[in-house]
Amino acid sequence: YGVDLYGEKSLHKLLDELNKISGLFWIRIMYCYPEEIYDELIESMIKDEKVCHYLDMPIQHCNDDILRCMGRKTTKAELTQRIRMLRERIPDITLRTTLICGFPGETQDNHEELMQFVNDMELLVNKEFINNNLENQLSFEKMNIKLVVRNKED
């Protein structure tokens, strides 16, 4: 929030102002990409009593190759660092995420890596999207993959 209006990330400023409004009881941050989490935002989450210690952070995956093909801006190491930092600075934070399974090129090992990451990082999974209509996606074309569909729902 704010880059288009002010030329810099400004979600923390919005939270600080919203926190001053009487009648508002809770402020919950929804759908905040990992690369959009920054120190001032965390400070506002800590100091503003109306801001819930909750963050919906869509990681989509944790495997570096899959993340790169998805066009994501973070790596597994960066995701791990951000999650650990959030848990250190806001010990009672709840972290919720969404995942994409069945992305073009994802192997069973990649999927198992993702499930282990979710468990290790103690993330709540809001939704696990099953990737479909693969042939019409840019990532599918870029990777030149032969599609074999099995265990689609697993």
Side-chain angles (χ1 to χ4, degrees):
Y1 170 81
V3 175
D4 56 340
L5 298 172
Y6 312 113
E8 62 183 9
K9 294 179 184 179
S10 304
L11 183 55
H12 66 288
K13 294 176 184 177
L14 177 61
L15 292 175
D16 293 346
E17 292 303 312
L18 289 172
N19 193 62
K20 296 174 186 175
I21 299 173
S22 64
L24 283 183
F25 299 102
W26 293 336
I27 302 167
R28 183 180 294 180
I29 302 172
M30 303 292 291
Y31 224 75
C32 186
Y33 288 105
E35 64 271 14
E36 299 302 326
I37 298 168
Y38 55 101
D39 286 337
E40 294 90 351
L41 175 60
I42 295 168
E43 288 304 317
S44 288
M45 290 179 72
I46 292 168
K47 73 179 174 66
D48 292 344
E49 67 274 356
K50 293 180 183 179
V51 177
C52 297
H53 290 176
Y54 169 96
L55 195 58
D56 185 343
M57 181 176 60
I59 65 167
Q60 311 304 337
H61 215 286
C62 71
N63 178 274
D64 288 339
D65 292 332
I66 300 294
L67 289 168
R68 183 178 34 74
C69 289
M70 287 179 168
R72 301 293 173 203
K73 298 177 182 174
T74 51
T75 64
K76 183 178 183 178
E78 291 167 334
L79 289 171
T80 301
Q81 182 274 330
R82 280 191 179 84
I83 292 167
R84 287 185 176 152
M85 182 257 308
L86 281 164
R87 293 204 185 281
E88 181 180 304
R89 297 198 47 207
I90 310 172
D92 65 337
I93 194 166
T94 297
L95 296 174
R96 187 177 88 166
T97 194
T98 51
L99 308 172
I100 296 176
C101 297
F103 193 78
E106 181 187 47
T107 65
Q108 184 66 33
D109 286 344
N110 297 148
H111 182 74
E112 289 171 12
E113 176 186 3
L114 175 60
M115 295 300 100
Q116 187 64 52
F117 184 81
V118 167
N119 287 333
D120 291 348
M121 296 292 109
E122 299 178 27
L123 300 172
L124 296 177
V125 177
N126 176 46
K127 182 72 176 161
E128 186 173 313
F129 294 96
I130 297 170
N131 204 36
N132 55 20
N133 197 18
L134 300 174
E135 293 88 350
N136 295 323
Q137 295 180 10
L138 181 60
S139 57
F140 184 85
E141 293 172 15
K142 283 184 176 180
M143 295 178 71
N144 193 21
I145 295 172
K146 282 188 175 181
L147 182 62
V148 177
V149 177
R150 65 174 182 234
N151 297 327
K152 180 171 134 177
E153 298 294 327
D154 291 343

